[in-house]
Amino acid sequence: MRSNESTPRLPGLLMAFAALYALVLPVYADNPELERTTPLPVGELAIRDHKVAVVLNNGFATTTIDQVLVNPKDADVEATWSFPLPKEASLSELSIDIDGQRVIGEVVEKQRAREIYQAEKSDGQSSALAEQNSFYDYRVSISRVPARGKLMARVVYYQPLDIESGVGRYLYPLQEGNTEDMKSSFWTMAKKTEGKLTFDVTLKTAFPVDGLHCPSHNGFSATQTDETTWQGKFEQLSASLDKDFALYYRLREDVPARVELLTHRAPGAAEGTYLAVITPGADLQAITEGRDWIFVLDVSGSMKGDKIRMLGHGVAKAIDGLGPADRFRVISFNNSPTRLDRGWTTARTPEAKAMSQTVAALQAGGGTNIFAALDLACGGVDADRSAAVILVSDGVANVGPHQYKDFIEQAKRHDVRLFTFVMGNSANERLLGDLATISGGFAKSVSVQDEIGAHLLLAAD
């Protein structure tokens, strides 16, 4: 659902459900007869508090969000907001509390959910509807927030954690991905809390942890309460809800490999499902032979702002961190691809330093022709050396071939390992992830609040 001229966007509520289904919450008004004769004007809402409680339990995370919305107007208000979703997250609960009445949502077929929402809205009753907007985001609408009243929305979701080279990562997404054209009126409401923004983090681990690090929010503090538990907290008054919360923790170097298993079987079912998270030990042998890297960098219009700045900074850091026997090339692309180099550049040379400075100064604009950029990159590989392509993009192709099948067929034609780094929220993770898997590489979602250079160097490891 897209916001209209007078419907604000409220950031920060999170949920997950299938694309063919929607989640609907019918909540009946206190005085239905009065409400049926009173129109439901729309207007601005305030966010009083946004509280996030996170439990990191070995390889899995549970996130609970309580967001309190306040209607300062003399008329009922319809609220609409959208939000990104963490990769592989699974919704456990969505509920709202209006005037002390708590209702938990249910998933129904999308068209039926829309019919229920519109019927309740037309009758002057309160209802909530949540829908998936392609790969961009999820949209929630609440038909009635009472005049001079408040509403609390709660979301609980689960997700597996990323643990690479002994470093665990948790991300709470808030920042707009800039991957879809939106009216300026979509942001008519200030994205700030009137009260508190709070992150309460509990880390439980069966293995020793050296510490917690939060590069996104200054003022985050953490203490170890016992051998297996850490507690962390961030709190700010009148806080902006436009920056991802990124948290890292490092396992000690002597941590062994491990396998974690999460199982489920419905009552009465003969079979169930399981999710396994396998973490290698920290005893991998260092790679000493020289390798070739081709960086393919998205500089299209959707990368403007924080994304292009962090791309330039992160890739420059990755170039500086390559081994002395490595070589690299750099291709930028928007409407068409452009080679930024004159041939293979050896790492840790004055030419390499000059190229990293060029990358750090890249500017964004234009369309997105990923297909042509990958063709150019894969066609320039030296067959006598180990080589890989690193693609950094938000995956929103709109120039040249841009259908899913076009890219899959292209990936099958080239015998080159592809590592895709999906930049920002609302990015096309499915496309870039599948391209990496087919080629034998891996895909990684990165936030503009992340230490992106470190993520890029994982491909070298």
Side-chain angles (χ1 to χ4, degrees), residues 215-227:
S216 60
H217 288 68
N218 293 328
F220 177 85
S221 60
T223 57
Q224 185 173 10
T225 56
D226 57 49
E227 291 184 356

Side-chain angles (χ1 to χ4, degrees), residues 176-253:
E176 166 59 28
N178 197 33
T179 52
E180 186 183 25
D181 293 333
M182 296 180 179
K183 301 177 182 178
S184 59
S185 61
F186 207 76
W187 294 99
T188 53
M189 190 191 73
K191 298 175 291 182
K192 279 191 173 183
T193 63
E194 292 187 343
K196 293 180 179 180
L197 168 64
T198 305
F199 289 98
D200 280 305
V201 180
T202 300
L203 171 63
K204 300 178 180 179
T205 175
F207 304 97
V209 171
D210 288 342
L212 277 66
H213 171 53
C214 179
S216 60
H217 288 68
N218 293 328
F220 177 85
S221 60
T223 57
Q224 185 173 10
T225 56
D226 57 49
E227 291 184 356
T228 61
T229 306
W230 288 73
Q231 297 287 150
K233 188 176 184 67
F234 174 86
E235 186 174 282
Q236 182 179 349
L237 291 171
S238 301
S240 295
L241 298 178
D242 59 359
K243 185 166 67 171
D244 295 342
F245 176 79
L247 182 69
Y248 295 87
Y249 60 94
R250 185 175 63 236
L251 304 180
R252 273 192 357 205
E253 292 186 357

